[in-house]
Amino acid sequence: MTLPENTADRTFQVDLRGLVDLLSHHLYSSPRVYLRELMQNAVDALTARHALDPAAPAGSFGIRLYADRSVVRVEDDGVGLTEADVHTFLATIGRSSKRADGIAEQRGDFIGQFGIGLLSCFLVADEIHVVSRSARTPGAPAVEWRGRGDGSYTVRTLPASARPAPGTTVTLTPRADAAEWTAPARVQHLARHFGSLLRHPVTFDDGSGGSAVPVNPEPAPWARTYPTPGARSRALAAYGEEVFGFTPLDTLELDLPAVGLKGIACVLPEAVPAGRRHGHRVHVKGMLLSEQAEEILPDWAFFVRCVVDAESLRPTASREALYEDDTLAAVRDALAERLRAWIARIAASDPELLHRFLQAHHLSVKSLAVHDDEILRMLLPWLPFETTDGHCTLDEFARTHRTVLVTSSVEEFRQVAAIASAAGLGVVNGGYTYDRELVHRLPEIRPEVSVADLDPATLTAHLDPVDRETELAAAAYLALARDALAVFDCDVALRSFQPASAPALLVDSREARHERTRSRLAREQEGGLWGDILGALQQEASRAQLILNQLNPLVRTAVAIDEPELARTSAEALYGQAALLSRRPLRPAESSLINRSFLDLLAHALRKDS
């Protein structure tokens, strides 16, 4: 498209106050990040200074923090800026000083890469005062830059005495409403919080007249030397406990040289809710990036919390999270492999630790085993499941049950557990997350074991039939009971089974109930479009079955009732009690039936006594 001749190029006008407001409410999580951004800029300046002077001894360049009630100051011995650099980088929003000549190719050495960090200082102050002297141009004078929140700034050169050595000093005069973040104690706390693992020496002075105190007196615990491997393990575990506030079940050392990542993973000593993901502490080149970086590990690894320091991970613009790219994906996969290797190691060499780990984190391991054949073969026999023999491992359960039956829901298991156990059937509760799928894979590990879904017919086939005379004597009662329970699509049968204390068993599946509901709706909507759709989906639905236990004294009394209304009421009461024992949610009609049958039986008992 050709522009009209009278069209002139124009530049964007930036409302700095509006931009700062945007940063404070949408980019940064808290005003406290101003100190991290200042320290980060200082670290990057030191990195550039070391690139200019690689022969300088380690620790010869550092960062000094100062805070009293009136100012906050950050001073570094970094590469510094010339007057031209100040105009180019400090006064141009979005341009990073890391793009300076000779540094662009070293961008991977720097933490900050977005050129907006200095603006975060306007979250706590109305003016930023910078004095800098360049190490790249030794003869250049010191330069003073004052930037204000209204978007204006001034620049002037200073005598050499204002900043005799190369480096930069940033001074803030806090606003009254920023006292929470600029008080000396808070500044010292934030400095330790963000910079405890920095590789350059950092000190803090609170202006009280005492000597400056080190912020990071020791290197990261994994970077130190220890007299013995045991001492190293104890030191890493103690560091994990200090950071996370719990005593780790075990501590894994993490080391990925390809991306310069080092750190530890602390195994939680207690179970966590399913699906809950703990955040991890991620440092980039020593600077704390995030305390809640969930993306560093896969979803299934919610049994650990990590502290890592990496060289090659990219921060987002806010530098409070990690940028999702191929490097992060590779790191996530590599750390997942380290966790798998740890599980394999304790499975092979430390059964006591394995038992404690699985006792707390079996759900996490189950989620991993579903997708990881190696973990499946290694740990499936040791994972705990709810069975008719109680909570036990599949290995223990398979020793006594060569045929393992698995339910499709918790509700179904609770319906049949007591009776199946008494009948000698081995049933596993498959209603919990991952359990049914994992139990069906047991023959891959134990070929001598067969696994099948529990069919109600399988259970009823193991219940003893009553003799013909008893069946005939109870026929009238059973007919009345079937009529009373027809509204629930429920058949009634008489059997003998253990335990004798159980008066009745309600055999019904969630799928069968859904199918009966669909059939009822199809009948009600017969002739309409919705009825045609439901009719097309309709399958033959199995009826629920109330199985009365002839061995139970209450049932023997009930089947002998010759008063029709009382017989119906007793059948309803037996159905209600069996429904309650199944622990499934009751339908409104069932709740009404339970209340009505109880009141009717109570009224009958009172009339009989009067």
Side-chain angles (χ1 to χ4, degrees):
M1 182 178 68
T2 303
L3 295 175
E5 292 183 1
N6 61 349
T7 300
D9 289 337
R10 299 179 183 275
T11 59
F12 286 101
Q13 299 300 310
V14 177
D15 179 356
L16 190 58
R17 289 193 184 278
L19 183 57
V20 171
D21 182 71
L22 180 67
L23 294 177
S24 63
H25 289 93
H26 299 285
L27 183 64
Y28 296 122
S29 62
S30 164
R32 68 177 186 165
V33 300
Y34 83 92
L35 188 67
R36 184 198 64 195
E37 295 294 335
L38 289 178
M39 294 174 66
Q40 202 156 266
N41 287 343
V43 170
D44 287 340
L46 291 174
T47 301
R49 178 73 182 274
H50 278 288
L52 288 176
D53 191 3
S60 56
F61 304 135
I63 302 170
R64 294 167 293 283
L65 307 179
Y66 175 90
D68 57 21
R69 291 292 174 179
S70 58
V71 298
V72 174
R73 186 166 61 244
V74 178
E75 182 178 346
D76 67 69
D77 302 317
V79 70
L81 299 170
T82 63
E83 182 177 357
D85 292 336
V86 166
H87 283 290
T88 302
F89 301 119
L90 297 190
T92 305
I93 295 172
R95 179 173 294 181
S96 174
S97 60
K98 271 72 77 176
R99 296 187 178 93
D101 293 341
I103 302 180
E105 66 274 11
Q106 303 169 3
R107 284 176 59 81
D109 295 334
F110 299 95
I111 303 170
Q113 308 215 355
F114 295 92
I116 57 176
L118 196 63
L119 290 181
S120 66
C121 296
F122 287 123
L123 301 176
V124 297
D126 290 325
E127 183 176 278
I128 305 171
H129 180 214
V130 178
V131 175
S132 186
R133 185 173 182 185
S134 175
R136 192 177 294 108
T137 310
V143 182
E144 178 191 67
W145 177 86
R146 290 182 182 272
R148 288 170 285 276
D150 60 6
S152 62
Y153 71 94
T154 58
V155 179
R156 67 187 181 104
T157 58
L158 300 175
S161 59
R163 175 81 207 200
T168 301
T169 301
V170 180
T171 304
L172 307 178
T173 302
R175 293 193 305 270
D177 61 358
E180 176 185 358
W181 306 107
T182 57
R186 175 56 67 93
V187 172
Q188 183 178 12
H189 170 77
L190 291 176
R192 288 176 175 170
H193 180 72
F194 290 122
S196 62
L197 299 186
L198 287 174
R199 293 85 184 265
H200 305 285
V202 183
T203 61
F204 173 78
D205 183 354
D206 64 2
S208 61
S211 57
V213 296
V215 168
N216 53 343
E218 294 183 296
W222 46 82
R224 305 172 201 165
T225 57
Y226 300 91
T228 64
R232 183 178 185 86
S233 296
R234 289 190 294 273
L236 294 179
Y239 179 73
E241 184 172 2
E242 176 188 347
V243 170
F244 295 125
F246 63 82
T247 302
L249 189 65
D250 198 13
T251 305
L252 298 68
E253 189 163 357
L254 305 174
D255 188 4
L256 303 178
V259 292
L261 182 146
K262 291 180 178 291
I264 59 173
C266 299
V267 182
L268 291 158
E270 298 177 350
V272 295
R276 178 180 174 186
R277 298 183 64 187
H278 283 294
H280 308 286
R281 289 176 65 95
V282 175
H283 300 251
V284 174
K285 302 176 181 66
M287 182 68 72
L288 178 64
L289 181 79
S290 174
E291 298 173 89
Q292 298 296 326
E294 296 180 353
E295 61 273 20
I296 197 75
L297 288 179
D299 291 347
W300 54 261
F302 51 80
F303 57 86
V304 297
R305 295 193 70 181
C306 296
V307 185
V308 298
D309 185 19
E311 296 287 336
S312 301
L313 295 178
R314 287 179 58 194
T316 59
S318 67
R319 293 190 279 276
E320 295 184 317
L322 294 172
Y323 185 81
E324 189 68 46
D325 58 9
D326 291 342
T327 301
L328 178 58
V331 166
R332 186 163 48 236
D333 291 343
L335 292 180
E337 188 57 38
R338 296 294 189 277
L339 295 179
R340 290 189 184 93
W342 174 80
I343 293 174
R345 178 175 61 79
I346 65 170
S349 62
D350 197 337
E352 181 183 353
L353 178 58
L354 176 66
H355 174 72
R356 288 189 287 132
F357 170 65
L358 291 179
Q359 195 173 34
H361 301 294
H362 58 273
L363 183 59
S364 183
V365 177
K366 285 178 180 179
S367 69
L368 174 59
V370 167
H371 307 289
D372 190 308
D373 291 343
E374 182 180 353
I375 294 296
L376 177 80
R377 290 190 296 271
M378 189 185 311
L379 294 182
L380 181 58
W382 307 102
L383 290 172
F385 290 82
E386 185 179 7
T387 75
T388 46
D389 291 353
H391 283 82
C392 61
T393 66
L394 286 185
D395 195 56
E396 295 169 333
F397 195 64
R399 292 174 191 168
T400 53
H401 301 283
R402 291 307 185 197
T403 298
V404 175
L405 302 174
V406 58
T407 64
S408 59
S409 67
V410 175
E411 170 193 319
E412 186 180 8
F413 178 80
R414 288 170 175 169
Q415 286 178 6
V416 304
I419 288 92
S421 178
L425 295 176
V427 182
V428 179
N429 186 350
Y432 295 115
T433 306
Y434 313 116
D435 283 15
R436 183 167 175 266
E437 184 176 353
L438 289 173
V439 173
H440 272 286
R441 298 190 67 179
L442 181 60
E444 299 177 28
I445 316 300
R446 299 283 185 267
E448 70 278 8
V449 176
S450 62
V451 177
D453 288 328
L454 177 66
D455 189 313
T458 304
L459 180 63
T460 55
H462 283 76
L463 305 181
D464 296 328
V466 297
D467 59 73
R468 184 172 179 77
E469 290 184 2
T470 303
E471 182 83 28
L472 289 174
Y477 179 86
L478 295 177
L480 286 169
R482 292 185 185 110
D483 183 64
L485 301 178
V487 66
F488 300 115
D489 292 318
C490 183
D491 194 11
V492 183
L494 187 64
R495 296 287 187 274
S496 296
F497 56 86
Q498 295 292 341
S501 59
L505 169 66
L506 181 60
V507 179
D508 193 14
S509 68
R510 182 182 305 171
E511 292 76 12
R513 289 199 304 275
H514 288 172
E515 184 57 39
R516 291 197 299 272
T517 300
R518 189 158 51 230
S519 298
R520 188 183 71 253
L521 290 174
R523 290 193 300 270
E524 293 173 355
Q525 300 288 336
E526 187 174 0
L529 176 61
W530 183 238
D532 292 340
I533 294 173
L534 291 174
L537 296 174
Q538 184 175 346
Q539 303 174 6
E540 184 178 351
S542 59
R543 303 184 70 193
Q545 193 172 34
L546 181 67
I547 303 175
L548 304 180
N549 188 3
Q550 174 63 20
L551 300 180
N552 182 269
L554 178 62
V555 171
R556 289 201 299 269
T557 301
V559 298
I561 297 173
D562 56 7
E563 184 180 334
E565 286 303 317
L566 181 58
R568 291 175 62 90
T569 299
S570 67
E572 292 173 343
L574 288 169
Y575 175 89
Q577 191 258 359
L580 287 172
L581 288 178
S582 72
R583 301 183 190 178
R584 63 169 171 79
L586 296 177
R587 291 170 285 181
E590 291 174 329
S591 298
S592 176
L593 174 139
I594 291 172
N595 292 332
R596 187 180 68 251
S597 61
F598 171 76
L599 293 175
D600 288 349
L601 288 175
L602 181 60
H604 176 80
L606 293 175
R607 286 197 304 270
K608 184 177 179 181
D609 291 340
S610 60

